[in-house]
Amino acid sequence: MTTLLVAATDLRRRIRNRSALITAFAAPLALAVVFGVLVGGAGSGGFRIGIVDADGSHMARAMTAELTHGAPAGGTVRFAVLRSPAEARRRVDDGDVDAAVVIPAGFGAAAQAGHARSMLVLQRADRLVAGEVARAVATSVGDEIQRVALALRVLAAGGTAPSPALVQAARRQPVPISFGRIPLGGRELDAAAFYGASMSIVFLFFTISLAARSVLAERRDGTLARILATPAHPAAVLAGKTLSVAVLGLAGLLTVWAVTALAFGARWGAPGAVALVMAATVFAVGGLSLLIASLARTEQQADAYTAVVTFSLALLGGNFVGPSQMPALLRTLSLATPNGWSLTAFTDLSADAAGLGSIATALAVLLACGLVTGGVGLTRVYRGMRA
Amino acid sequence: MTAAPPGPALRCRRLVRRFGDRVAVDGVSFEIAAGETYGLLGPNGAGKTTTISMVAGVLAADAGDVTVRGRPIGIGAGEAKRAIGLVPQDVALYEDLTAAENLRFFGRLQGLTGPHLRSRIAEVLEVVGLEDRAGDRVSSYSGGMRRRANIAVGLLHDPALLILDEPTVGVDPQSRNQILESIETLGGAGLAVLYTTHYMEEAERLCDRVGIIDRGRIVAEGRSGTEMA
């Protein structure tokens, strides 16, 4: 009863105090969107490459058809057939496509005759990665065509004219570009989901540290003494304060999940497992935040300790770059943080690569972290309330 | 207020509290009878606030004991604590809540619920003259209004013992007079009052008995306006 009363009153006050809402909801959501768009191309669906067949030869037509139909639907690289180099230039400039590959007139005949003829890649200066993708496509296709043409010429030079069937078979060879993905699992990692989880975890530290911070503030303001003068048990009061920020933190995570999924199509993975990882993350971060804040004697100290530990763990845990992009040593070290375990679980779920075992391990580690650090933190705060 | 059991409303025996090497309260003993107003008079830093923090169960004593209506104070001492109304020196209210919301919160912590809680809130707001501002946030109150709301929370659950820690510090003369008149009325209604102050004239006006505390010890005690032992 006391716990729920304190939790409800604390929540009411925090909702009126908009800074808590910013920490729990607005800031992680805004940063998740910004990071997702900047780093992951959230909302763009990957790279869109234009293809211009200015040659019209059988080889060029086959190449264009293979690229446009060979790429998987909804994949990272998609191709669009454009009518002319001029249109390609205009659409690259406008940003309708990220880059374009132009197959020049006479390309097929030159290849069959053994003459070098370059394809043209158009890219914008600010879309370097897309340009590299288009260049890789052109190089790979060109190399394979040269190999087939060389084989045919070798046969011809040996006095044996290639049979029409062989020539046709060579022409029917698929364009040697494959669009497979890094086999994380069934799907590609979703940047919006990753940064949604990542930024929510960072701000969760600040949200949950409000519990211990509020004990310090209430001691300063005298309301803690007034509460302790009532029959309410101090442990129930502390539980209420912790419950209120845990609810706020979990609501923040759920909001970021809902908004990124609905507005940006972010794929977080199986909802039940995602909810479990979120709850375990709130528990782990809650414990650690309480421990950090319990070391402080003033609100200013609590803020400073929370900021230092939060950003250190965020850097180490891979919140800003993602564990998969970290060097091997740091990737291992990231598993010394609750952030690392939580992000690994969210990443696996988003990529559909999570086995029951890996998620269970992450959940167990997060719960253990919350129990140990939260236990010590709560004991320290409780003693502080009675001192 | 429930019927008073026989014996004093408050009994403190040989209370001691240390902060590191410093002894803030050193063997303080006194009693307050039902309906009596007891003044704890002393300079700043004498140990008044530490003493009443132990009396209210906010601070654990290193030695000695406190009983309120015969029941010891401590963690989980629900009955004893329910008999105490604490009015801290500084205004101890949530500024982002209204006066009514503050009263509702602290009333529920005291175990009040439903219509009884609502009627008590209305009564104490009337006593302190804030019934028209009950729905306003405390942050919008003047200093005097905050002081009165602070007292209202202490009175809410109809305690047997009201502890007032220097309630007139920093208050304008008009509000100070209002507060003193309210306390005189409460004392006359059978409430035991523990009143700390460093103003002799307040102690003489309000208190039936006065204990003078200095450096953590009661150095003199007697009836107000008479020579003290």
Side-chain angles (χ1 to χ4, degrees):
Chain A
M1 172 63 189
T2 299
T3 298
L4 291 179
L5 173 64
V6 171
T9 304
D10 258 29
L11 269 177
R12 174 182 291 168
R13 294 182 59 220
R14 295 195 193 292
I15 288 167
R16 285 187 187 169
N17 177 355
R18 290 180 189 146
S19 65
L21 295 181
I22 289 169
T23 306
F25 299 96
L29 194 56
L31 283 179
V33 171
V34 168
F35 270 91
V37 169
L38 285 180
V39 181
S44 70
F47 302 105
R48 190 170 155 82
I49 308 294
I51 297 286
V52 180
D53 178 7
D55 182 28
S57 67
H58 180 84
M59 186 180 287
R61 286 201 305 277
M63 234 169 71
T64 304
E66 186 61 30
L67 284 172
T68 50
H69 296 116
T76 307
V77 183
R78 290 170 295 142
F79 294 93
V81 176
L82 307 178
R83 286 190 300 273
S84 66
E87 184 193 4
R89 187 175 298 278
R90 180 175 55 76
R91 292 187 62 175
V92 168
D93 278 345
D94 293 347
D96 291 341
V97 293
D98 298 301
V101 177
V102 178
I103 305 169
F107 180 87
Q112 284 185 341
H115 301 308
R117 191 73 196 264
S118 299
M119 282 183 272
L120 178 66
V121 172
L122 299 171
Q123 70 169 89
R124 272 169 54 137
D126 59 350
R127 303 221 175 153
L128 300 179
V129 178
E132 288 302 319
V133 170
R135 192 167 294 115
V137 168
T139 303
S140 183
V141 170
D143 286 350
E144 188 61 19
I145 287 170
Q146 291 297 337
R147 275 196 294 276
V148 171
L150 179 61
L152 293 175
R153 286 201 304 279
V154 167
L155 280 172
T160 307
S163 68
L166 180 61
V167 173
Q168 286 302 319
R171 284 173 173 172
R172 283 196 299 271
Q173 285 296 308
V175 172
I177 293 284
S178 68
F179 297 95
R181 300 186 182 126
I182 298 169
L184 269 173
R187 286 198 309 255
E188 177 191 4
L189 172 64
D190 191 297
F194 172 78
Y195 282 103
S198 172
M199 291 302 111
S200 297
I201 292 168
V202 171
F203 282 93
L204 199 54
F205 278 91
F206 292 106
T207 303
I208 293 186
S209 71
L210 292 173
R213 195 182 188 283
S214 83
V215 171
L216 295 169
E218 292 213 26
R219 178 185 289 154
R220 181 200 62 205
D221 296 340
T223 45
L224 182 64
R226 179 157 251 166
I227 290 172
L228 294 178
T230 71
H233 198 285
V237 174
L238 186 55
K241 291 190 167 298
T242 309
L243 178 64
S244 75
V245 290
V247 167
L248 202 59
L250 189 57
L253 271 170
L254 292 170
T255 302
V256 172
W257 179 13
V259 172
T260 53
L262 295 174
F264 301 103
R267 299 179 306 266
W268 286 65
V274 170
L276 274 178
V277 174
M278 282 184 173
T281 302
V282 168
F283 189 72
V285 173
L288 199 52
S289 298
L290 270 174
L291 177 59
I292 297 162
S294 74
L295 301 173
R297 290 181 173 275
T298 65
E299 294 161 74
Q300 290 74 22
Q301 276 184 350
D303 290 343
Y305 293 171
T306 301
V308 168
V309 175
T310 298
F311 285 110
S312 300
L313 289 179
L315 286 170
L316 196 60
N319 285 76
F320 296 118
V321 294
S324 62
Q325 295 180 45
M326 295 165 76
L329 176 64
L330 283 179
R331 207 160 48 234
T332 305
L333 282 176
S334 75
L335 295 179
T337 69
N339 312 40
W341 280 100
S342 179
L343 283 174
T344 301
F346 279 125
T347 302
D348 286 351
L349 284 169
S350 174
D352 215 11
L356 193 61
S358 71
I359 293 300
T361 305
L363 290 175
V365 171
L366 290 170
L367 292 176
C369 172
L371 271 177
V372 173
T373 56
V376 177
L378 280 172
T379 305
R380 287 183 57 87
V381 174
Y382 179 74
R383 283 184 183 159
M385 286 170 77
R386 299 286 305 155
Chain B
M1 199 173 359
T2 55
L10 171 68
R11 173 180 286 152
C12 300
R13 284 191 302 196
R14 295 185 293 278
L15 283 179
V16 176
R17 175 68 197 202
R18 298 181 190 86
F19 294 103
D21 293 336
R22 190 173 66 83
V23 181
V25 172
D26 188 7
V28 165
S29 299
F30 62 92
E31 290 183 3
I32 306 176
E36 184 182 32
T37 299
Y38 184 91
L40 204 52
L41 183 68
N44 290 332
K48 301 188 296 291
T49 298
T50 304
T51 299
I52 64 166
S53 294
M54 288 188 284
V55 169
V58 174
L59 198 62
D62 292 327
D65 58 78
V66 177
T67 55
V68 179
R69 304 176 93 190
R71 294 189 174 90
I73 278 286
I75 292 179
E79 283 303 311
K81 285 190 168 183
R82 245 185 284 280
I84 294 175
L86 174 65
V87 180
Q89 182 175 336
D90 295 320
V91 174
L93 299 169
Y94 297 114
E95 296 218 332
D96 40 13
L97 298 183
T98 67
E101 287 169 338
N102 270 286
L103 287 163
R104 206 171 298 130
F105 173 68
F106 286 108
R108 284 182 179 159
L109 285 180
Q110 289 287 2
L112 306 183
T113 54
H116 180 52
L117 174 60
R118 282 195 292 277
S119 68
R120 282 301 299 161
I121 289 172
E123 284 171 32
V124 294
L125 283 170
E126 194 178 341
V127 167
V128 298
L130 287 174
E131 62 270 37
D132 295 337
R133 299 290 303 273
D136 294 343
R137 288 192 192 180
V138 173
S139 57
S140 69
Y141 284 8
S142 67
M145 290 165 72
R146 287 174 197 221
R147 287 274 174 196
R148 284 185 275 150
N150 200 34
I151 292 172
V153 174
L155 292 171
L156 181 64
H157 56 292
D158 202 6
L161 170 68
L162 182 65
I163 301 172
L164 295 143
D165 189 9
E166 306 205 41
T168 59
V169 168
V171 175
D172 63 87
Q174 189 181 352
S175 294
R176 182 170 177 242
N177 202 44
Q178 277 182 336
I179 290 169
L180 294 178
E181 281 175 5
S182 302
I183 296 164
E184 282 175 321
T185 308
L186 292 167
L191 185 65
V193 178
L194 171 57
Y195 188 93
T196 75
T197 182
H198 55 262
Y199 298 124
M200 179 60 90
E201 68 274 19
E202 280 187 10
E204 285 183 340
R205 174 176 167 180
L206 294 175
C207 301
D208 302 307
R209 283 191 306 128
V210 173
I212 295 176
I213 186 168
D214 189 31
R215 296 179 189 177
R217 290 169 178 263
I218 301 271
V219 294
E221 190 176 43
R223 300 206 71 77
S224 181
T226 63
E227 192 174 325
M228 292 189 185

